[in-house]
Amino acid sequence: MRYLMMIFYDESEHPEDGSPEQESLWKQYNAFTQHVIDEGVYRGADALHPISTATTVRVRGGGALVTDGPFAETKEQLGGFYVIECDDLDEAIQIAARCPGSQHGTVELRPVIERGVAATQAIRNQHDAAGNS
């Protein structure tokens, strides 16, 4: 089963860009990423720009309401994510506990609904057949 592993943290406590602390944190994430790749559970991951870059879109009364900023004001913000494929929730929890984000924020696991897997795999196969990686 695939799980979305969302990493939440307080941006105000995040190390400053270019600082030794940020460099150390990126090294920890790079090592964690290599670890989940080596375990064969990695399906994708990305970091997100700060919450100040967020745009929220809601459709009401047939029109789109677009606002700058996040959907909700919270202490912790979504900073990045991994998609992992595990045998069960216990395995996903073990992996999430090794994520650097679990030490300085919160890691939320959500199972992915698998009904779109066949379509997704077909797209991946077409992508791979076209010589894209």
Side-chain angles (χ1 to χ4, degrees), residues 3-133:
Y3 291 87
L4 178 62
M5 191 170 80
M6 296 170 282
I7 304 162
F8 294 89
Y9 64 94
D10 184 342
E11 286 183 357
S12 69
E13 296 177 4
H14 198 265
E16 189 174 318
D17 286 347
S19 70
E21 294 83 9
Q22 184 190 46
E23 184 65 29
S24 173
L25 185 59
W26 279 117
K27 285 181 182 178
Q28 291 172 43
Y29 271 105
N30 289 340
F32 174 75
T33 301
Q34 189 60 56
H35 178 75
V36 294
I37 290 170
D38 292 345
E39 283 191 4
V41 299
Y42 177 88
R43 297 297 177 267
D46 266 311
L48 301 174
H49 284 279
I51 197 73
S52 62
T53 65
T55 301
T56 303
V57 179
R58 295 175 184 88
V59 175
R60 302 291 187 271
L65 300 170
V66 180
T67 55
D68 291 337
F71 169 70
E73 294 294 328
T74 61
K75 182 178 179 189
E76 293 183 330
Q77 296 80 37
L78 178 62
F81 65 90
Y82 285 82
V83 176
I84 56 175
E85 189 162 340
C86 302
D87 291 333
D88 54 34
L89 180 58
D90 290 335
E91 181 184 7
I93 291 169
Q94 290 175 5
I95 292 167
R98 290 192 302 263
C99 177
S102 66
Q103 298 171 25
H104 62 84
T106 303
V107 176
E108 178 181 333
L109 291 167
R110 300 269 305 270
V112 175
I113 296 173
E114 298 293 344
R115 65 179 167 227
V117 171
T120 300
Q121 190 58 50
I123 292 168
R124 285 184 187 152
N125 292 342
Q126 288 175 350
H127 188 272
D128 293 345
N132 301 312
S133 304

